């Protein structure tokens, strides 16, 4: 994919994105990805802003996904919802073919969900943790 | 029998294997890539694991993720289907190393047959006729003498060759010197190995293959022949039939005898296919495929045998439940491959969403497919959408049935080979059964010229 | 052979006939009602004519419009399928009067077999066992003596009867007087004819039928038997198989011999089916269907014969191409009827739009259907959506294959009988092959009670 | 179908119809039919009214359809587009099984189209003529 082409594609993607109501768009393809996030809308009047509904997804949350198939195991200390994590904290590992493959927080933030149980089989791309970036 | 089998494939063959397992009471684990999440092979398996993203190197060829899936789901065997890892001796060995039965021949046999030079040598030792040829030719003079012995036309090939690089057709002595220099240069620059050898060029041969089945107790049976001469210019098969039309008893017996000798020589186990080029009264061994073939249903229909169930039974240690004399073919079967391809544009593959899909049915029609209305064709994989197989008491009846079945078929959303298959069926060459591997390329050239 | 055949039907059987014609090189004309305009049987025929609005009386039963269509399109024959006009002797005669070959037996034979009393008499003359019974019984006393002779339980029936009116089961002498009076009153008020007769009640019989085929040269062959005992409480068949399981050689031979005598006695031509009730060592003739049956595919699969093509060939004046000794059944076939019905609600029929339809495929599976994703099920017609047929070398293999095929089947938009069929397949009664016509009603009562 | 039910059904049909942009709705069922036509919209401002496009179907046009299958033949005098026809004019007949079944204009009007050729096979429900009611 030549460089110019990428710029062109992203440009048209941005145009299309701004035309929607989306606040975040992530496209994954062939191992790479593009993510667009909308800045807080300048036109939104504070009077109209409502408190966030309890079941609305929190913003700035990254899913930490498994990049292989194996058995999920927590690392120590046991990560728990609400924990603040460092940029390279090992939260867990996925054991595959006898090898422990660490799962790291990839950047710091607050752990908002733990999505798997200890000993659970996980597949490629399965969400293991969700971290709110701060 | 196995308790649970991992199906290391996608598409129609993954469904095919799933069917055989379910009918045998064996549980199944599907693997899939991210774009295949909504595939039927995923839906129909007992369990399914995503093993990677779209590109095959990171999903359907990801040996660690596949083996890991088999282990964490407690599978006791792996069926590789065709393509992907089916003829990968290392994968077969890794399965064995992890206590998984690979449903196919031994890694050694896969390795032997995978190396074309070794395979040819082994075949010659088993008295199987191979294309006449030479060892390395050090000079043009030696090449000239060899060509005279073999008889023109001949083929110069690079010993390190592949993909047609360093290969030249030589139709007469005048062309030899120039061809030799050209092939040598191309081989040198492509492979850093300019050594050449020569083979007799088989002109306008038929592609005839023989199905074999061997168990772990030394029993081998021959399940007849298939004619796969309707090939695209890329040599990919488009239409296959069983049995081959107009094959003399002499040639047929010779093919079966060679296939039996070959299978016995390597102590072949599980299903395999020997591919031959047949020209006049001669049959030349081309290669052996150590796996189930795409076109296996035509054999299943005329022998009333479920080859994939047989593969599983054999791998599970069961002996063949019959001998050669119990096997009686009946009638005629034809398979058309329905691919997402533009036949008018050099069979360029197509991807997209299938807006409308209706398959044919009724007597004597078998459909093997993974597609459905509303499904998608991802751009990453083989373009085959479906195999339509027609059985008839006679070849004529099978052709008539195939024609009506193709006319009933609706696939909207991508270009397909349906129309191309209908055009082939309507030719005198096909209806008479007199066609060879240059038939479809010739038909396409005519269409282009018209 | 015919040049062009009018298909006087709709749904899967219209497609089935279209397939046979196309494979024989015969052109086809479809008829359709207004709501069926988008049906597959319309799309696949060479020509198609709307013959009326949705209600059958004004379309698929409109003899003038159907005959007119055949004449203006220059058809030389009419295939009636099953249902609608298939057993209408007058229609067969009108076809003949207009120079159209009716693909079926003669109007006379249709008429004879259509009148149940005449059919029974003809059968008895041909030494075919019929349910033991009496002539008109003038009094309770005569009824009492007759019941003693026949042995309880017995069935009192109105000679003018139909639809269960004026019918009473009598299990012992105590009930006779009351039942006689009740039946007489009901018959009197329903038909203005209170005359009664008596038949022996066959308790928990199996429904076994025999397929016959006769040509215009006096040749008749028997194409084996089918067990159709899996019936809804309304006596409509749900699952059929060929051959019947656990049928003693004695009964089987007796059924075939009776079927042959019956067919020869009436000089039967074309395809027909003799239905018997089998109980213990006895088989009683019930009725003869002078047409192709819904469940004919199970016979086609075990005999490798295309019955609809045979019908057409026979009607076109061809002689049967084989004798009884050439016919060898092989393996086992099961058919499940997939109806748009709510099995949990007394099989109430459903209509609607089919949002998602995926049929099974692979080895040994045949699907006969007219439905497709996005199509509609009009409220006017038979609720059958599809017939799924599974073949196996053994009954056990056929059941396993049927089960996996049903699990692969997706029909969204209406209720279907898929789940009910799966439940039947899972019972000990079905897997053991020991079931009779009271099996499914009993299973449904159990489910209701649970 | 009890009478009350019919009234109820038509009433709800009218409500649904008025909620759409349709100007005419015709429902045929079991041989009977209901037809609804919208009066000229009172809210349409004359300024916005455009001249009728040349390919728009003319209003008040009834299709005369075949109620059987047969061969279409014109009656004499030959009906032609533009003809004014009487209420029971026989325009043609459909010949089926040797019987001539007359096709009448069913009411008077102007013949705006002749949809079949002489000798043409026609099916049930096929439009034979279109008549503009005046």
């Amino acid at each position: 994919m030549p460089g110019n082409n990428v710029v062109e594609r992203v440009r048209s993607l941005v145009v299309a994105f701004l035309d929607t109501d989306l606040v975040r768009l992530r496209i994954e393809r062939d191992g790479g990805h593009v993510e667009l996030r909308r800045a807080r809308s300048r036109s939104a009047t504070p009077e109209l802003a409502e408190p966030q509904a309890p079941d609305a997804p929190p913003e700035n949350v990254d899913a930490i996904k498994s990049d292989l198939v194996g058995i999920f195991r927590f690392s120590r200390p046991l990560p728990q919802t609400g924990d603040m994590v460092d940029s390279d904290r090992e939260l867990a590992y996925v054991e595959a073919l006898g090898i422990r493959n660490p799962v790291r927080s990839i950047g710091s933030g607050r752990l908002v969900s733990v999505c798997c149980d200890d000993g659970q089989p996980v597949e490629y791309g399965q969400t293991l943790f969700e971290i709110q970036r701060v | 029998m196995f308790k649970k089998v991992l199906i290391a494939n996608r598409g129609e063959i993954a469904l095919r294997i799933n069917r055989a397992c379910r009918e045998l009471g064996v549980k199944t684990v599907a693997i899939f890539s991210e774009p295949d999440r909504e595939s039927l092979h995923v839906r129909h398996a007992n369990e399914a694991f995503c093993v990677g993203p779209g590109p095959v190197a990171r999903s359907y060829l990801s040996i660690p993720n596949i083996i890991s899936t088999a282990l964490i789901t407690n599978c006791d065997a792996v069926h590789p289907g065709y393509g992907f890892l089916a003829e990968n001796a290392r994968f077969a060995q890794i399965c064995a190393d992890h206590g998984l039965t690979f449903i196919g021949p031994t890694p050694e046999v896969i390795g032997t047959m995978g190396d074309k030079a070794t395979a040819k040598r082994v075949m010659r030792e088993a008295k199987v006729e191979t294309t006449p040829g030479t060892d390395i030719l050090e000079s043009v003079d030696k090449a000239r003498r060899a060509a005279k012995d073999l008889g023109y036309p001949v083929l110069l090939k690079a010993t390190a060759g592949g993909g047609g690089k360093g290969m030249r057709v030589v139709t007469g002595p005048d062309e030899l010197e120039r061809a030799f220099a050209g092939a040598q240069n191309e081989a040198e620059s492509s492979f850093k190995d300019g050594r050449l050898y020569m083979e007799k060029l088989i002109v306008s041969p038929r592609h005839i293959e023989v199905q074999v089945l061997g168990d772990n107790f030394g029993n081998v049976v021959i399940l007849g022949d298939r004619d796969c001469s309707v090939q695209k210019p890329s040599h990919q098969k488009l239409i296959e039939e069983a049995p081959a039309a107009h094959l003399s008893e002499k040639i047929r017996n010779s093919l079966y005898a060679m296939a039996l000798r070959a299978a016995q020589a390597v102590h072949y186990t599980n299903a395999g296919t020997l591919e031959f080029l047949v020209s006049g009264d001669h049959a030349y061994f081309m290669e052996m495929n150590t796996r189930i073939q795409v076109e296996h249903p035509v054999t299943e229909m005329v022998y009333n045998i479920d080859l994939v169930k047989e593969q599983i039974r054999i791998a599970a240690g069961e002996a063949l439940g019959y001998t050669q004399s119990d096997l009686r073919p009946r009638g005629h079967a034809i398979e058309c491959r329905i691919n997402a391809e533009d036949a008018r544009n050099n069979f360029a593959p197509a991807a997209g969403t299938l807006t409308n899909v209706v398959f044919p049915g009724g007597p004597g029609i078998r459909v093997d497919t993974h597609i459905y209305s509303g499904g998608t064709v991802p751009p990453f994989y083989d373009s085959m959408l479906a195999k339509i197989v027609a059985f008839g008491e006679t070849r004529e009846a099978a052709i008539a049935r195939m024609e009506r079945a193709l006319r009933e078929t609706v696939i909207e959303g991508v270009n397909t080979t349906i129309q191309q298959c209908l055009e082939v069926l309507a030719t005198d060459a096909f209806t008479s059964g007199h066609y060879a591997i240059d038939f479809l390329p010739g038909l396409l050239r005519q269409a282009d010229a018209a």
Side-chain angles (χ1 to χ4, degrees), chain A, chain B:
Chain A
M1 198 193 277
N4 253 347
N5 204 348
V6 173
V7 172
E8 255 323 290
R9 284 190 196 194
V10 171
R11 196 194 310 278
S12 56
L13 202 59
V14 169
V15 171
F17 172 68
L18 291 175
D19 207 33
T20 70
D21 295 318
L22 297 175
V23 293
R24 181 176 165 211
L25 173 71
R26 183 182 165 92
I27 296 175
E28 283 187 40
R29 209 161 141 183
D30 290 24
H33 77 268
V34 170
E35 181 163 336
L36 303 176
R37 289 188 198 189
R38 190 184 293 272
R40 275 173 192 236
S41 169
R42 278 161 296 181
S43 68
T45 51
E47 298 93 314
L48 290 175
E50 291 184 301
Q52 196 163 34
D55 56 351
E59 278 187 27
N60 297 323
V61 167
D62 278 346
I64 305 292
K65 294 181 177 182
S66 179
D67 57 3
L68 38 71
V69 181
I71 301 289
F72 176 85
R73 304 268 183 210
F74 287 116
S75 297
R76 307 289 143 163
L78 216 61
Q80 291 189 309
T81 305
D83 284 2
M84 289 302 296
V85 295
D86 296 338
S87 65
D88 65 342
R89 160 104 176 257
E90 184 190 306
L91 301 166
Y93 57 91
V94 175
E95 191 171 330
L97 307 181
I99 295 167
R100 296 178 167 201
N101 304 275
V103 176
R104 295 182 187 279
S105 58
I106 324 171
S108 57
R110 183 183 300 278
L111 196 59
V112 290
S113 32
V114 176
C115 308
C116 294
D117 295 327
D118 196 72
Q120 179 183 329
V122 292
E123 66 182 3
Y124 174 91
Q126 186 165 340
T127 299
L128 308 176
F129 297 98
E130 286 182 325
I131 294 178
Q132 186 164 29
R133 302 306 184 187
V134 279
Chain B
M1 183 45 63
F2 303 117
K3 295 259 182 299
K4 204 192 269 186
V5 169
L6 181 129
I7 301 167
N9 218 304
R10 69 177 298 279
E12 69 87 18
I13 193 64
L15 274 175
R16 173 71 190 87
I17 298 161
N18 193 65
R19 286 166 176 155
C21 289
R22 300 301 286 264
E23 292 174 20
L24 288 169
V26 175
K27 295 215 178 308
T28 53
V29 177
I31 59 165
F32 62 97
S33 68
E34 288 179 320
D36 273 345
R37 190 172 288 275
E38 301 300 321
S39 285
L40 289 189
H41 82 276
V42 176
R43 199 184 298 174
H44 292 321
N46 293 97
E47 296 169 67
F49 275 74
C50 181
V51 294
V56 295
R58 294 188 51 206
S59 49
Y60 295 107
L61 294 178
S62 170
I63 295 179
N65 279 350
I66 294 170
I67 298 286
S68 182
T69 303
L71 295 178
I72 67 179
T73 54
N74 295 311
C75 286
D76 37 16
V78 173
H79 197 305
Y82 53 70
F84 294 139
L85 299 167
E87 289 175 294
N88 185 320
R90 195 169 70 88
F91 179 64
Q93 185 59 56
I94 293 172
C95 284
D97 293 345
H98 286 87
L100 298 162
T101 303
F102 177 85
I103 301 176
T106 61
E108 293 71 32
V109 169
I110 298 172
T112 299
M113 292 301 171
D115 183 86
K116 301 310 163 196
T118 310
K120 243 182 133 171
R121 182 177 50 73
V122 169
M123 287 299 126
R124 275 195 298 264
E125 287 166 11
K127 297 193 166 50
V128 172
E129 203 171 349
T130 59
T131 320
T134 68
D135 278 335
I136 307 299
L137 299 165
E138 287 85 8
S139 66
V140 183
D141 277 354
K142 288 200 172 167
R144 198 178 301 280
R145 258 171 284 151
K148 207 179 159 201
D149 290 349
L150 290 169
Y152 287 96
V154 296
L155 203 57
L156 278 171
K157 288 171 119 175
T159 189
K165 288 269 162 58
M167 192 167 11
R168 290 288 186 284
V169 172
V170 190
T171 59
D174 297 352
E175 302 169 13
L176 190 68
E177 192 159 343
R178 193 194 161 107
F180 193 91
Q184 205 165 35
N185 284 340
E186 197 170 284
E188 187 69 52
S189 66
S190 298
F191 316 113
K192 302 202 184 309
D193 179 351
R195 291 178 301 158
L196 303 178
Y197 68 103
M198 188 182 284
E199 269 185 2
K200 175 141 186 71
L201 180 74
I202 314 299
V203 179
S204 190
R206 301 171 68 185
H207 174 124
I208 310 277
E209 57 190 33
V210 177
Q211 177 73 51
V212 302
L213 213 51
D215 66 17
N216 299 332
F217 308 94
N219 304 305
V220 177
V221 292
I222 303 295
L223 286 155
D225 50 271
R226 297 185 285 258
D227 190 331
C228 309
S229 304
V230 181
Q231 298 182 358
K232 298 185 275 185
S234 59
H235 300 297
Q236 287 167 305
K237 300 162 187 170
L238 184 68
I239 300 181
E240 304 97 344
E241 59 180 312
H246 307 301
L247 202 62
S248 72
E249 273 315 286
K250 191 185 153 203
I251 285 275
R252 179 162 277 136
N253 291 338
S254 147
L255 286 171
Y256 292 3
M258 285 195 284
L260 188 62
R261 281 201 301 273
Q264 286 170 336
V266 298
H267 305 291
Y268 197 85
T269 53
N270 221 287
T273 299
L274 289 100
E275 298 191 327
F276 294 92
L277 292 179
V278 173
S279 176
D281 259 0
H282 283 277
Y284 306 100
F285 170 81
M286 218 182 341
E287 61 180 57
M288 180 165 193
N289 294 322
T290 56
R291 53 163 167 89
I292 194 79
Q293 305 267 104
V294 174
E295 59 272 24
H296 75 276
V298 292
T299 298
E300 293 187 323
M301 284 188 115
V302 294
Y303 278 91
N304 231 327
I305 269 189
D306 187 319
L307 281 170
V308 179
K309 277 189 194 165
E310 293 302 292
Q311 286 193 291
I312 297 168
R313 288 195 184 108
I314 289 167
E318 292 184 20
L320 288 176
Y322 38 82
T323 61
Q324 191 67 51
S325 60
D326 297 325
L327 297 168
R328 299 231 178 284
R330 172 169 187 178
H332 200 93
I334 301 176
E335 171 181 286
C336 284
R337 300 193 190 188
I338 312 303
N339 303 330
E341 290 173 349
D342 184 358
R344 289 276 158 273
N345 181 18
N346 207 19
F347 296 93
T353 297
L354 301 164
T355 49
N356 191 14
V357 174
V358 185
F359 281 109
I365 291 297
R366 168 175 169 182
V367 179
D368 280 51
T369 187
H370 58 291
I371 68 164
Y372 56 91
S373 272
T376 57
V377 183
F380 306 104
Y381 313 113
D382 184 88
S383 59
M384 197 169 69
L385 300 178
K387 306 187 303 203
I388 297 180
V389 191
F391 176 86
E393 280 298 304
T394 61
R395 186 170 185 273
E396 193 186 356
I399 294 174
R401 188 163 272 169
M402 178 61 85
E403 196 197 320
R404 75 93 179 146
L406 291 176
R407 291 195 192 284
E408 286 178 10
T409 309
V410 178
I411 299 177
E412 287 170 6
V414 294
N415 283 313
T416 75
T417 48
I418 295 173
Q419 193 54 40
Q420 185 61 60
C421 287
L422 277 168
E423 282 169 27
V424 168
L425 258 50
T427 60
D428 288 344
F430 191 82
T431 54
S432 70
H434 291 290
Y435 61 93
I437 63 168
D438 48 359
F439 158 60
L440 181 56
L443 190 69
L444 294 165
R445 279 194 303 273
Q446 272 177 34
D448 280 349

